[in-house]
Amino acid sequence: MSILKVPSEAEATGMTAEIYDADTRSMGYVPSHTKAMSLNPEAYQIWESLTQAISSSLGLRRYELVTLAAAQAIGSSHCRLAHGKKTLTIIDQEQLQAIARNYRDAGLPPEDVAIMDYAVKLSTDAAGMSDDDSQRLRDAGFSDREIADITLAAAARNYFSRALLALNVELDVPPGVSPELQEALLSPLPTAGE
């Protein structure tokens, strides 16, 4: 449990209340990660604008796949659960469970596996990345803009996920995430040979 004292829905005022209201309208509740990160509501709103700019350019499906891979590589249960729930709007539960357990063996097109591999490497060994990593994406058919967007999506997830982990934000399970999907989303990342 985090040592942060966050305002409840009843205590929230101003921009924080607006952020809480937006989550209540879109998700039916205010997640613990929203409460923690909206202690600086101006930064939270900029974060939301950044992720919207990246996802609208990259496309929601690819944005969510990159996000899920980066969050899994970092070990961010918060982001895996939250984005697993969001991904259910575009990928059915059975396919999402397969992706969560081992995206390399989930029947995804090679270009989707490539972006997820890239997100994992960025999240686990960013200093070890080279032009070869970007070239693999180019060889998979991605434009320079798409490669930049994939990079931004994974790097943005690192920022947010690592902040939640550092602050020891309480984990909550979004409504509508089945026990089976929850178990798959919280599975450890298989190694490249598995």
Side-chain angles (χ1 to χ4, degrees), residues 46 54 75 82 97 102 107 130 190:
I46 290 169
I54 297 166
Q97 285 175 200
N102 186 349
S130 68

Side-chain angles (χ1 to χ4, degrees), residues 93-178:
Q93 181 168 314
E94 185 177 328
Q95 175 76 28
L96 182 54
Q97 285 175 200
I99 292 167
R101 286 194 180 99
N102 186 349
Y103 65 85
R104 292 179 191 102
D105 190 32
L108 290 173
E111 59 272 15
D112 287 348
V113 173
I115 64 174
M116 295 181 84
D117 281 342
Y118 184 92
V120 168
K121 185 167 182 185
L122 183 150
S123 302
T124 58
D125 187 22
M129 295 188 80
S130 68
D131 285 343
D132 291 342
D133 297 297
S134 296
Q135 186 62 50
R136 281 194 267 298
L137 293 182
R138 182 172 284 125
D139 292 345
F142 293 100
S143 69
D144 288 349
R145 170 63 186 259
E146 289 169 324
I147 293 168
D149 286 339
I150 292 162
T151 304
L152 288 170
R157 183 54 39 207
N158 272 260
Y159 156 76
F160 201 79
S161 292
R162 291 178 190 279
L164 296 176
L165 291 168
L167 294 170
N168 195 29
V169 173
E170 182 180 345
L171 180 65
D172 46 30
V173 179
V177 174
S178 71

Side-chain angles (χ1 to χ4, degrees), residues 57-71:
S57 177
L58 187 57
L60 184 59
R61 184 177 186 282
R62 287 193 169 146
Y63 175 81
E64 291 299 342
L65 290 175
V66 168
T67 295
L68 288 169

Side-chain angles (χ1 to χ4, degrees), residues 25-38:
R25 283 191 309 278
S26 67
M27 295 185 281
Y29 76 113
V30 182
S32 58
H33 62 265
T34 296
K35 290 178 181 177
M37 298 307 276
S38 61

